[in-house]
Amino acid sequence: MFEETYITYFPLLYNYALVITKDQAAAEDVVSEIFLKLWEEQHSLVIGKSLKSYLFKSVYNQCLNILKHKKVQRKYEDFFKHLQLLNEGGADYPLSTLLENEITETLQKAIEKLPPQCRKIFDMSRNENMTHEEIAIELGVSVNTVHTQIRRALEKLRIELKDFLPFLLFITKL
């Protein structure tokens, strides 16, 4: 039964997937995955309509998933290519300098919004390179308080800098 289904439908499903994805390897992968699932779940799989409808609908859905993934992938590739061009342009490139200034300004404003003790602890940790233990001793608080305040500061900064996250991720990879 399975072999007969495979021989009958593989070429049709492959051509259908190829029309949608316009990629031979992706089309073959999609159809192979559908048949693998069919083989693995043949005893428990309940097909409401015809087998043919089920197979074509499965291929269609899987192709859409692949196209969505490719679209997101292209978007990030384009984004990182653009950032790389900015980086290669160096400090002379006005957009690079503008972006760096904007991130720095936004970060400073976000740090200023932190509650006083949280800001002080964060500053001691990041700018004065003090350990959590050193901060706790100097301020007369527990190490756990220092951990908690730094965690809160980072959470708030992450929220404030969410629009710059892709840029910050790129910069840290360089």
Side-chain angles (χ1 to χ4, degrees), residues 2 16 28 54 71 109 112 116 128 139 144 168:
F2 180 82
Y16 181 57
E28 189 171 338
Y54 170 80
K71 182 178 179 182
K109 286 180 181 177
E112 289 170 12
E128 297 175 27
L139 297 179
N144 193 36
L168 295 172

mmCIF file with all atom_site columns, all heavy atoms in Angstrom, residues 2 16 28 54 71 109 112 116 128 139 144 168:
data_model
loop_
_atom_site.group_PDB
_atom_site.id
_atom_site.type_symbol
_atom_site.label_atom_id
_atom_site.label_alt_id
_atom_site.label_comp_id
_atom_site.label_asym_id
_atom_site.label_entity_id
_atom_site.label_seq_id
_atom_site.pdbx_PDB_ins_code
_atom_site.Cartn_x
_atom_site.Cartn_y
_atom_site.Cartn_z
_atom_site.occupancy
_atom_site.B_iso_or_equiv
_atom_site.pdbx_formal_charge
_atom_site.auth_seq_id
_atom_site.auth_comp_id
_atom_site.auth_asym_id
_atom_site.auth_atom_id
_atom_site.pdbx_PDB_model_num
ATOM 1   N N   . PHE A 1 2   ? 1.835  1.352  0.934  1.00 0.00 ? 2   PHE A N   1
ATOM 2   C CA  . PHE A 1 2   ? 2.671  2.545  1.031  1.00 0.00 ? 2   PHE A CA  1
ATOM 3   C C   . PHE A 1 2   ? 3.503  2.729  -0.239 1.00 0.00 ? 2   PHE A C   1
ATOM 4   O O   . PHE A 1 2   ? 3.586  3.832  -0.775 1.00 0.00 ? 2   PHE A O   1
ATOM 5   C CB  . PHE A 1 2   ? 3.584  2.475  2.252  1.00 0.00 ? 2   PHE A CB  1
ATOM 6   C CG  . PHE A 1 2   ? 4.468  3.679  2.391  1.00 0.00 ? 2   PHE A CG  1
ATOM 7   C CD1 . PHE A 1 2   ? 3.992  4.846  2.966  1.00 0.00 ? 2   PHE A CD1 1
ATOM 8   C CD2 . PHE A 1 2   ? 5.771  3.663  1.909  1.00 0.00 ? 2   PHE A CD2 1
ATOM 9   C CE1 . PHE A 1 2   ? 4.794  5.971  3.072  1.00 0.00 ? 2   PHE A CE1 1
ATOM 10  C CE2 . PHE A 1 2   ? 6.585  4.783  2.005  1.00 0.00 ? 2   PHE A CE2 1
ATOM 11  C CZ  . PHE A 1 2   ? 6.092  5.939  2.590  1.00 0.00 ? 2   PHE A CZ  1
ATOM 12  N N   . TYR A 1 16  ? 4.305  19.700 -7.762 1.00 0.00 ? 16  TYR A N   1
ATOM 13  C CA  . TYR A 1 16  ? 3.471  20.693 -7.070 1.00 0.00 ? 16  TYR A CA  1
ATOM 14  C C   . TYR A 1 16  ? 4.334  21.538 -6.123 1.00 0.00 ? 16  TYR A C   1
ATOM 15  O O   . TYR A 1 16  ? 4.261  22.766 -6.125 1.00 0.00 ? 16  TYR A O   1
ATOM 16  C CB  . TYR A 1 16  ? 2.368  19.967 -6.306 1.00 0.00 ? 16  TYR A CB  1
ATOM 17  C CG  . TYR A 1 16  ? 1.405  20.853 -5.565 1.00 0.00 ? 16  TYR A CG  1
ATOM 18  C CD1 . TYR A 1 16  ? 0.679  21.839 -6.212 1.00 0.00 ? 16  TYR A CD1 1
ATOM 19  C CD2 . TYR A 1 16  ? 1.188  20.673 -4.208 1.00 0.00 ? 16  TYR A CD2 1
ATOM 20  C CE1 . TYR A 1 16  ? -0.221 22.637 -5.532 1.00 0.00 ? 16  TYR A CE1 1
ATOM 21  C CE2 . TYR A 1 16  ? 0.289  21.459 -3.517 1.00 0.00 ? 16  TYR A CE2 1
ATOM 22  C CZ  . TYR A 1 16  ? -0.413 22.441 -4.185 1.00 0.00 ? 16  TYR A CZ  1
ATOM 23  O OH  . TYR A 1 16  ? -1.306 23.233 -3.502 1.00 0.00 ? 16  TYR A OH  1
ATOM 24  N N   . GLU A 1 28  ? 11.943 18.473 -3.068 1.00 0.00 ? 28  GLU A N   1
ATOM 25  C CA  . GLU A 1 28  ? 12.204 17.064 -2.752 1.00 0.00 ? 28  GLU A CA  1
ATOM 26  C C   . GLU A 1 28  ? 12.161 16.825 -1.245 1.00 0.00 ? 28  GLU A C   1
ATOM 27  O O   . GLU A 1 28  ? 11.605 15.827 -0.785 1.00 0.00 ? 28  GLU A O   1
ATOM 28  C CB  . GLU A 1 28  ? 13.561 16.644 -3.322 1.00 0.00 ? 28  GLU A CB  1
ATOM 29  C CG  . GLU A 1 28  ? 13.794 15.153 -3.217 1.00 0.00 ? 28  GLU A CG  1
ATOM 30  C CD  . GLU A 1 28  ? 15.035 14.691 -3.961 1.00 0.00 ? 28  GLU A CD  1
ATOM 31  O OE1 . GLU A 1 28  ? 15.486 15.393 -4.878 1.00 0.00 ? 28  GLU A OE1 1
ATOM 32  O OE2 . GLU A 1 28  ? 15.535 13.619 -3.599 1.00 0.00 ? 28  GLU A OE2 1
ATOM 33  N N   . TYR A 1 54  ? -5.224 14.896 1.299  1.00 0.00 ? 54  TYR A N   1
ATOM 34  C CA  . TYR A 1 54  ? -4.368 15.017 2.479  1.00 0.00 ? 54  TYR A CA  1
ATOM 35  C C   . TYR A 1 54  ? -2.920 15.287 2.059  1.00 0.00 ? 54  TYR A C   1
ATOM 36  O O   . TYR A 1 54  ? -2.266 16.183 2.603  1.00 0.00 ? 54  TYR A O   1
ATOM 37  C CB  . TYR A 1 54  ? -4.437 13.734 3.315  1.00 0.00 ? 54  TYR A CB  1
ATOM 38  C CG  . TYR A 1 54  ? -3.407 13.696 4.407  1.00 0.00 ? 54  TYR A CG  1
ATOM 39  C CD1 . TYR A 1 54  ? -3.613 14.374 5.604  1.00 0.00 ? 54  TYR A CD1 1
ATOM 40  C CD2 . TYR A 1 54  ? -2.204 13.004 4.235  1.00 0.00 ? 54  TYR A CD2 1
ATOM 41  C CE1 . TYR A 1 54  ? -2.654 14.358 6.606  1.00 0.00 ? 54  TYR A CE1 1
ATOM 42  C CE2 . TYR A 1 54  ? -1.243 12.988 5.229  1.00 0.00 ? 54  TYR A CE2 1
ATOM 43  C CZ  . TYR A 1 54  ? -1.470 13.660 6.414  1.00 0.00 ? 54  TYR A CZ  1
ATOM 44  O OH  . TYR A 1 54  ? -0.524 13.643 7.394  1.00 0.00 ? 54  TYR A OH  1
ATOM 45  N N   . LYS A 1 71  ? 11.706 33.929 3.667  1.00 0.00 ? 71  LYS A N   1
ATOM 46  C CA  . LYS A 1 71  ? 11.460 35.372 3.685  1.00 0.00 ? 71  LYS A CA  1
ATOM 47  C C   . LYS A 1 71  ? 12.131 35.999 4.906  1.00 0.00 ? 71  LYS A C   1
ATOM 48  O O   . LYS A 1 71  ? 12.799 37.031 4.787  1.00 0.00 ? 71  LYS A O   1
ATOM 49  C CB  . LYS A 1 71  ? 9.957  35.644 3.701  1.00 0.00 ? 71  LYS A CB  1
ATOM 50  C CG  . LYS A 1 71  ? 9.599  37.105 3.672  1.00 0.00 ? 71  LYS A CG  1
ATOM 51  C CD  . LYS A 1 71  ? 8.090  37.299 3.643  1.00 0.00 ? 71  LYS A CD  1
ATOM 52  C CE  . LYS A 1 71  ? 7.743  38.772 3.646  1.00 0.00 ? 71  LYS A CE  1
ATOM 53  N NZ  . LYS A 1 71  ? 6.291  38.978 3.665  1.00 0.00 ? 71  LYS A NZ  1
ATOM 54  N N   . LYS A 1 109 ? 20.064 57.712 28.523 1.00 0.00 ? 109 LYS A N   1
ATOM 55  C CA  . LYS A 1 109 ? 18.741 58.107 29.009 1.00 0.00 ? 109 LYS A CA  1
ATOM 56  C C   . LYS A 1 109 ? 18.083 56.967 29.777 1.00 0.00 ? 109 LYS A C   1
ATOM 57  O O   . LYS A 1 109 ? 17.434 57.194 30.801 1.00 0.00 ? 109 LYS A O   1
ATOM 58  C CB  . LYS A 1 109 ? 17.849 58.552 27.853 1.00 0.00 ? 109 LYS A CB  1
ATOM 59  C CG  . LYS A 1 109 ? 18.204 59.902 27.295 1.00 0.00 ? 109 LYS A CG  1
ATOM 60  C CD  . LYS A 1 109 ? 17.283 60.279 26.144 1.00 0.00 ? 109 LYS A CD  1
ATOM 61  C CE  . LYS A 1 109 ? 17.665 61.637 25.568 1.00 0.00 ? 109 LYS A CE  1
ATOM 62  N NZ  . LYS A 1 109 ? 16.833 61.995 24.409 1.00 0.00 ? 109 LYS A NZ  1
ATOM 63  N N   . GLU A 1 112 ? 19.675 56.695 33.152 1.00 0.00 ? 112 GLU A N   1
ATOM 64  C CA  . GLU A 1 112 ? 19.209 57.787 34.014 1.00 0.00 ? 112 GLU A CA  1
ATOM 65  C C   . GLU A 1 112 ? 17.810 57.522 34.568 1.00 0.00 ? 112 GLU A C   1
ATOM 66  O O   . GLU A 1 112 ? 17.459 58.024 35.632 1.00 0.00 ? 112 GLU A O   1
ATOM 67  C CB  . GLU A 1 112 ? 19.229 59.113 33.246 1.00 0.00 ? 112 GLU A CB  1
ATOM 68  C CG  . GLU A 1 112 ? 20.628 59.631 32.979 1.00 0.00 ? 112 GLU A CG  1
ATOM 69  C CD  . GLU A 1 112 ? 20.650 60.822 32.020 1.00 0.00 ? 112 GLU A CD  1
ATOM 70  O OE1 . GLU A 1 112 ? 19.578 61.401 31.731 1.00 0.00 ? 112 GLU A OE1 1
ATOM 71  O OE2 . GLU A 1 112 ? 21.761 61.172 31.574 1.00 0.00 ? 112 GLU A OE2 1
ATOM 72  N N   . PRO A 1 116 ? 17.639 55.261 41.799 1.00 0.00 ? 116 PRO A N   1
ATOM 73  C CA  . PRO A 1 116 ? 18.985 55.656 42.228 1.00 0.00 ? 116 PRO A CA  1
ATOM 74  C C   . PRO A 1 116 ? 19.894 54.500 42.663 1.00 0.00 ? 116 PRO A C   1
ATOM 75  O O   . PRO A 1 116 ? 21.030 54.406 42.190 1.00 0.00 ? 116 PRO A O   1
ATOM 76  C CB  . PRO A 1 116 ? 18.719 56.621 43.386 1.00 0.00 ? 116 PRO A CB  1
ATOM 77  C CG  . PRO A 1 116 ? 17.356 57.158 43.112 1.00 0.00 ? 116 PRO A CG  1
ATOM 78  C CD  . PRO A 1 116 ? 16.600 56.059 42.420 1.00 0.00 ? 116 PRO A CD  1
ATOM 79  N N   . GLU A 1 128 ? 32.827 50.866 36.761 1.00 0.00 ? 128 GLU A N   1
ATOM 80  C CA  . GLU A 1 128 ? 33.957 50.799 37.678 1.00 0.00 ? 128 GLU A CA  1
ATOM 81  C C   . GLU A 1 128 ? 34.524 49.381 37.774 1.00 0.00 ? 128 GLU A C   1
ATOM 82  O O   . GLU A 1 128 ? 35.470 49.137 38.525 1.00 0.00 ? 128 GLU A O   1
ATOM 83  C CB  . GLU A 1 128 ? 33.531 51.316 39.058 1.00 0.00 ? 128 GLU A CB  1
ATOM 84  C CG  . GLU A 1 128 ? 33.108 52.779 39.020 1.00 0.00 ? 128 GLU A CG  1
ATOM 85  C CD  . GLU A 1 128 ? 32.556 53.273 40.355 1.00 0.00 ? 128 GLU A CD  1
ATOM 86  O OE1 . GLU A 1 128 ? 32.946 52.708 41.403 1.00 0.00 ? 128 GLU A OE1 1
ATOM 87  O OE2 . GLU A 1 128 ? 31.751 54.213 40.345 1.00 0.00 ? 128 GLU A OE2 1
ATOM 88  N N   . LEU A 1 139 ? 28.480 49.312 49.640 1.00 0.00 ? 139 LEU A N   1
ATOM 89  C CA  . LEU A 1 139 ? 27.156 49.896 49.875 1.00 0.00 ? 139 LEU A CA  1
ATOM 90  C C   . LEU A 1 139 ? 26.471 49.352 51.125 1.00 0.00 ? 139 LEU A C   1
ATOM 91  O O   . LEU A 1 139 ? 25.393 49.825 51.506 1.00 0.00 ? 139 LEU A O   1
ATOM 92  C CB  . LEU A 1 139 ? 26.253 49.683 48.655 1.00 0.00 ? 139 LEU A CB  1
ATOM 93  C CG  . LEU A 1 139 ? 26.697 50.359 47.362 1.00 0.00 ? 139 LEU A CG  1
ATOM 94  C CD1 . LEU A 1 139 ? 25.725 50.036 46.234 1.00 0.00 ? 139 LEU A CD1 1
ATOM 95  C CD2 . LEU A 1 139 ? 26.808 51.864 47.545 1.00 0.00 ? 139 LEU A CD2 1
ATOM 96  N N   . ASN A 1 144 ? 23.140 39.294 47.236 1.00 0.00 ? 144 ASN A N   1
ATOM 97  C CA  . ASN A 1 144 ? 21.889 38.974 46.556 1.00 0.00 ? 144 ASN A CA  1
ATOM 98  C C   . ASN A 1 144 ? 21.175 40.249 46.094 1.00 0.00 ? 144 ASN A C   1
ATOM 99  O O   . ASN A 1 144 ? 20.601 40.292 44.998 1.00 0.00 ? 144 ASN A O   1
ATOM 100 C CB  . ASN A 1 144 ? 20.982 38.152 47.479 1.00 0.00 ? 144 ASN A CB  1
ATOM 101 C CG  . ASN A 1 144 ? 19.814 37.541 46.727 1.00 0.00 ? 144 ASN A CG  1
ATOM 102 O OD1 . ASN A 1 144 ? 19.956 37.144 45.581 1.00 0.00 ? 144 ASN A OD1 1
ATOM 103 N ND2 . ASN A 1 144 ? 18.666 37.487 47.378 1.00 0.00 ? 144 ASN A ND2 1
ATOM 104 N N   . LEU A 1 168 ? 22.682 45.952 18.178 1.00 0.00 ? 168 LEU A N   1
ATOM 105 C CA  . LEU A 1 168 ? 23.549 45.559 19.284 1.00 0.00 ? 168 LEU A CA  1
ATOM 106 C C   . LEU A 1 168 ? 24.038 44.120 19.112 1.00 0.00 ? 168 LEU A C   1
ATOM 107 O O   . LEU A 1 168 ? 25.190 43.806 19.409 1.00 0.00 ? 168 LEU A O   1
ATOM 108 C CB  . LEU A 1 168 ? 22.820 45.723 20.618 1.00 0.00 ? 168 LEU A CB  1
ATOM 109 C CG  . LEU A 1 168 ? 22.459 47.165 20.976 1.00 0.00 ? 168 LEU A CG  1
ATOM 110 C CD1 . LEU A 1 168 ? 21.565 47.202 22.209 1.00 0.00 ? 168 LEU A CD1 1
ATOM 111 C CD2 . LEU A 1 168 ? 23.705 48.003 21.187 1.00 0.00 ? 168 LEU A CD2 1
#
